[in-house]
Amino acid sequence: MAPMRFTSRFDPRAGAADLWEYLREPRPYRWPILAVSIAIPLAGVAMLTQESHFRPPDAPKVNFISTFAEGRSDEEIRQSNLVNQQRKEAREAEREELRARKVEAYKALGRATGLDVDEMERQAQIEAAREKAIAEARRRERYQAGSALDLSGD
């Protein structure tokens, strides 16, 4: 048995001739189909051959800014905390006063339009109490569940 040559079975010239004959036949959309057929693999190869090198980000530079004087004593810290607490309480009192005035303005508007604002206020208080009770019950339930987990984990 004579050895077969590899080139005799797979002749690229015959394949190219067949392709050229196929392309020469008048078919509708042959050029757009050929262009898309060539563009898709070329786009894939182009995407795969691109390399990206990402450098790691620079470490953040932290600058500590302190508005407090260096070397404050404990008493100075305590006094500044007291002053800040008084400012906070004054702001909260002012907000509460504004809220109360707003409520009174809405009540006056409601009375002027013929609404029973006292009944509406009672209903709102009942609803607020109900929501508070529900929140308290949930808090207790979570606390008890957490305590049970702590005890069982020992």
Side-chain angles (χ1 to χ4, degrees):
M1 189 170 201
M4 284 182 85
R5 287 186 18 206
F6 182 74
T7 56
S8 67
R9 290 183 63 201
F10 303 103
D11 187 10
R13 287 176 299 185
D18 287 345
L19 177 64
W20 182 248
E21 286 297 319
Y22 181 78
L23 291 176
R24 287 184 54 207
E25 292 178 13
R27 298 178 185 274
Y29 306 112
R30 67 179 170 192
W31 297 114
I33 290 173
L34 181 64
V36 169
S37 299
I38 292 172
I40 289 174
L42 286 180
V45 168
M47 288 181 355
L48 291 174
T49 58
Q50 292 179 358
E51 289 186 29
S52 298
H53 296 284
F54 297 107
R55 81 178 172 84
D58 295 333
K61 294 180 179 128
V62 179
N63 296 325
F64 293 100
I65 300 173
S66 177
T67 57
F68 300 117
E70 286 287 326
R72 294 187 316 151
S73 68
D74 288 344
E75 185 57 33
E76 289 172 329
I77 294 171
R78 219 178 341 281
Q79 289 301 319
S80 71
N81 288 348
L82 288 173
V83 169
N84 287 335
Q85 184 64 31
Q86 289 170 354
R87 272 194 228 136
K88 178 183 169 190
E89 289 170 357
R91 279 194 309 265
E92 288 174 356
E94 185 179 343
R95 282 191 195 119
E96 184 58 34
E97 180 186 343
L98 287 173
R99 191 194 69 75
R101 287 188 0 207
K102 190 188 294 186
V103 167
E104 288 304 319
Y106 278 117
K107 282 183 181 181
L109 178 65
R111 285 188 185 101
T113 56
L115 296 175
D116 186 8
V117 292
D118 296 325
E119 178 60 29
M120 292 170 71
E121 184 177 11
R122 278 192 295 276
Q123 292 298 326
Q125 288 173 350
I126 291 169
E127 184 64 29
R130 182 180 303 130
E131 288 175 2
K132 185 177 178 183
I134 290 171
E136 180 66 22
R138 284 184 184 154
R139 187 191 63 77
R140 276 198 207 115
E141 183 179 308
R142 288 182 187 143
Y143 177 74
Q144 290 171 353
S147 296
L149 288 176
D150 290 342
L151 293 175
S152 65
D154 287 338

